[in-house]
Amino acid sequence: MIVIKKNIIQNIYLTLSENEVAASEWYYFKFTNRATNEIIEKWCENISMENNYQMFEVDGTDLQSNNSGFYTYEIFASNVNEDIIGSLLETGYMELENGSTFEPVKYTEQNNLFKTYNG
């Protein structure tokens, strides 16, 4: 499952070349909300330097107006002109989250004036 946060630019990793006859540089992502049938379309460039996986930079900041929740996705090979070439490469699920970044609790001070007892 892919998890995309709304306010973060992040990388996602997929293995689309397993189902592809010829390697592509661009891919078409179609996300369909499972509750509302809202459709999000994205064309992403493969920025990976490796052959065994594809890496895509997904800009979640342009998804602020879309509904959070669960989506199904379909991925097709594409070209820079946003034309779909080839057949369906992968399907799966994506969760679109509101995008708050995780910040750990920071303790600034600890009271070391305590007694321990043995027994």
Side-chain angles (χ1 to χ4, degrees):
M1 179 161 77
I2 299 171
V3 178
I4 299 175
K5 295 185 184 248
K6 285 186 178 183
N7 66 346
I8 298 173
I9 298 172
Q10 62 193 47
N11 293 332
I12 58 173
Y13 300 86
L14 301 168
T15 54
L16 302 175
S17 60
E18 296 173 340
N19 300 323
E20 201 171 15
V21 176
S24 297
E25 298 263 339
W26 287 86
Y27 293 86
Y28 166 72
F29 290 73
K30 179 183 177 184
F31 302 104
T32 306
N33 189 300
R34 296 182 68 196
T36 65
N37 287 331
E38 171 188 16
I39 293 176
I40 302 171
E41 297 178 308
K42 284 197 152 304
W43 283 264
C44 297
E45 182 180 12
N46 176 17
I47 57 173
S48 173
M49 297 301 197
E50 302 293 327
N51 291 330
N52 57 342
Y53 64 86
Q54 289 73 43
M55 180 172 69
F56 303 97
E57 184 177 270
V58 177
D59 186 358
T61 60
D62 62 354
L63 300 175
Q64 294 293 338
S65 63
N66 298 99
N67 292 322
S68 297
F70 290 99
Y71 290 74
T72 57
Y73 70 80
E74 299 173 314
I75 302 173
F76 297 86
S78 180
N79 60 25
V80 72
N81 297 325
E82 299 182 351
D83 297 322
I84 296 173
I85 54 176
S87 59
L88 178 66
L89 297 176
E90 185 171 298
T91 61
Y93 296 105
M94 184 269 289
E95 181 180 7
L96 184 60
E97 294 182 347
N98 282 330
S100 59
T101 57
F102 174 74
E103 301 234 0
V105 176
K106 296 178 183 177
Y107 297 101
T108 57
E109 178 179 316
Q110 178 179 343
N111 182 356
N112 291 329
L113 302 174
F114 53 87
K115 296 179 182 180
T116 59
Y117 297 96
N118 186 10

